[in-house]
Amino acid sequence: MSLLIAETEDLDTCLELRFEVFVREQGVPPEEERDTLDDSATHLLATQDGTPVGTARIVFQGDIAKIGRVCVVKSARGTGLGARLIEACVDVARERQGITRAKLGAQIHAIGFYEKLGFEAFGPVYLDAGIDHRDMVKPL
């Protein structure tokens, strides 16, 4: 079994994975899932034996790497892939000149997951696509 996580230009595959997880599973409206940031973001794609199983994107804003749209298909959950995706995003951010922090909006149920990866929650709970979130940050 071969897992590969790498930057990709294959936005269509990333969008298909996100549609499956966010729209079909979580009920996020399709018009809220896709936005204009996708065109300028750095996208990562995880493949298991050549099959797409997860994705994430990074939007660089000033000294911040905003990690978002992180998803793993149902069949690959519980394997550590989500953590590896986040670690890969952090590695990409560290390589970028001038980036000092990684930031993300975590669904409330996932805060503990991100804390284990070195992120710290801050600020109030807010709704994003009808789901409670809280911002989290990690110094790089």
Side-chain angles (χ1 to χ4, degrees):
M1 303 249 291
S2 170
L3 176 68
L4 175 66
I5 300 173
E7 291 183 44
T8 185
E9 298 294 323
D10 186 357
L11 181 56
D12 288 340
T13 297
C14 295
L15 292 173
E16 287 171 20
L17 289 170
R18 287 168 32 186
F19 190 88
E20 178 182 335
V21 173
F22 297 128
V23 176
R24 286 195 186 111
E25 287 183 32
Q26 297 182 356
V28 172
E31 62 275 8
E32 289 186 37
E33 198 290 309
R34 174 88 156 92
D35 63 27
T36 58
L37 295 175
D38 281 323
D39 297 330
S40 61
T42 298
H43 297 271
L44 277 69
L45 181 64
T47 55
Q48 182 74 51
D49 298 324
T51 301
V53 291
T55 188
R57 77 175 186 190
I58 308 167
V59 176
F60 295 98
Q61 301 169 321
D63 68 339
I64 296 171
K66 175 88 167 59
I67 300 169
R69 301 304 200 270
V70 179
C71 68
V72 173
V73 296
K74 202 177 278 188
S75 63
R77 291 182 198 149
T79 65
L81 174 57
R84 291 184 64 185
L85 256 174
I86 295 301
E87 289 165 351
C89 288
V90 168
D91 288 345
V92 168
R94 279 193 176 113
E95 293 171 7
R96 184 87 168 233
Q97 180 98 17
I99 299 299
T100 62
R101 303 176 278 164
K103 182 180 173 185
L104 53 83
Q107 292 181 10
I108 294 300
H109 71 85
I111 286 177
F113 166 78
Y114 291 112
E115 286 175 335
K116 289 177 186 169
L117 296 171
F119 286 82
E120 184 175 314
F122 70 95
V125 173
Y126 60 91
L127 279 179
D128 185 2
I131 301 168
D132 283 339
H133 283 70
R134 192 152 179 232
D135 286 333
M136 300 189 79
V137 69
K138 176 179 182 164
L140 299 181

